[in-house]
Amino acid sequence: MNDGGRAGASVKLEAVEFSYGEAAFKFDVAFTPGGITAVMGPSGSGKSTLLNLVAGFEIPRAGNVVIGGKNVTSEEPAVRPVSMVFQENNLFAHLSIEDNVGLGCSPSLKLTPLQRDAVGEALTRTGLDGKQRRLPRELSGGERQRAALARVLVRDRPVLLLDEPFASLGPALRDDMLDLVADLQAEQRMTVLFVTHQPEDARRIAKNMVFVENGTVAATGPAEQFFSAGGPEAFRRYIGFESESHDVARKRT
């Protein structure tokens, strides 16, 4: 695994245009390399689409996706220097946790001794030591997401994309997973793009913020600035609405 000697790769979307049905998106944004950036915005604003364009699951009709200074717009997802963790952990139900993590080293699971050692180390690092032979259904939701992060570690890619992977977890467990992401990022020095609807998640681990609204990037900057009284108006309006919605929901219960 990475010895921490390199910084995460830069990620840029240069005048990227994409459409899905009647929805149109245009992104022109650069992400700080070697840090955690929270991507926030209303539902349907384009947060997941932005991540999918970086990963290569969506192809723009115009513009370029540049990672580490290289134009990867036409490259397949498998060859991009990117790992991605979804809200659904994307584990194979018939494979043990050890084998699911091992897929990060080799799709054929024909692992070298060094790769097997790397899998064992990743499982230990993510708190899954002793559960190598269990199937995904035998683990809790948090443990399955830990397995997904362990696979990220053995893939050893400089960019990590997180699309609300902890949204279904309770507050305490979600905090634990966020802290684990922060620890892994500090060790691996990955560039992390983290989609979340929770302002407290962004406050907890993000150094930078990108706010997406109406299919485009409406604001970028340090997280500290976003959460200050002088933060971007669009973002302040958004979290004010979210807070009001939560207050109303609490009064109804």
Side-chain angles (χ1 to χ4, degrees):
M1 288 194 289
N2 194 336
D3 62 5
R6 66 151 190 255
S10 60
V11 176
K12 296 180 181 180
L13 277 68
E14 300 175 340
V16 165
E17 296 181 16
F18 177 77
S19 58
Y20 182 78
E22 295 182 355
F25 306 92
K26 185 170 183 177
F27 300 119
D28 205 336
V29 61
F31 295 90
T32 303
I36 300 176
T37 298
V39 181
M40 296 190 67
S43 297
S45 59
K47 302 182 300 297
S48 294
T49 298
L50 190 155
L51 260 59
N52 286 334
L53 286 162
V54 175
F57 298 127
E58 305 286 7
I59 305 300
R61 58 183 174 84
N64 296 309
V65 178
V66 181
I67 302 177
K70 180 182 178 183
N71 189 337
V72 300
T73 309
S74 61
E75 290 189 351
E76 295 293 323
V79 300
R80 297 192 185 193
V82 169
S83 293
M84 189 165 184
V85 179
F86 303 88
Q87 189 168 342
E88 295 298 327
N89 47 65
N90 207 29
L91 301 177
F92 289 93
H94 67 290
L95 294 179
S96 68
I97 293 304
E98 183 178 49
D99 285 346
N100 267 287
V101 174
L103 289 172
C105 296
S106 169
S108 69
L109 287 176
K110 296 179 180 179
L111 306 186
T112 67
L114 282 177
Q115 288 173 326
R116 292 194 179 280
D117 287 345
V119 170
E121 182 183 344
L123 289 168
T124 298
R125 182 65 190 86
T126 52
L128 293 173
D129 192 30
K131 300 182 179 181
Q132 293 92 327
R133 303 312 305 165
R134 294 191 184 183
L135 295 173
R137 67 173 180 270
E138 298 173 313
L139 299 184
S140 69
E143 287 171 333
R144 289 193 291 271
Q145 292 297 41
R146 286 177 179 271
L149 288 175
R151 187 162 58 195
V152 165
L153 286 178
V154 300
R155 279 175 59 81
D156 193 23
R157 303 293 173 89
V159 177
L160 171 60
L161 309 177
L162 301 172
D163 194 359
E164 297 193 84
F166 315 132
S168 62
L169 305 180
L173 183 53
R174 192 172 74 236
D175 284 349
D176 288 344
M177 296 302 295
L178 290 168
D179 291 344
L180 177 58
V181 167
D183 288 345
L184 297 178
Q185 188 279 329
E187 291 176 7
Q188 302 286 306
R189 301 180 66 192
M190 296 175 286
T191 299
V192 179
L193 312 187
F194 174 42
V195 166
T196 180
H197 277 104
Q198 304 294 335
E200 58 268 30
D201 290 359
R203 281 180 181 270
R204 191 175 188 91
I205 66 170
K207 297 297 184 185
N208 298 285
M209 300 276 295
V210 166
F211 185 69
V212 180
E213 188 175 49
N214 297 323
T216 191
V217 174
T220 65
E224 182 179 356
Q225 176 187 340
F226 263 67
F227 288 104
S228 71
E233 176 61 29
F235 177 71
R236 291 170 60 198
R237 186 172 61 248
Y238 168 72
I239 61 174
F241 173 76
E242 291 292 301
S243 298
E244 181 180 330
S245 297
H246 292 162
D247 289 342
V248 170
R250 281 196 294 268
K251 289 176 182 178
R252 289 176 177 171
T253 58

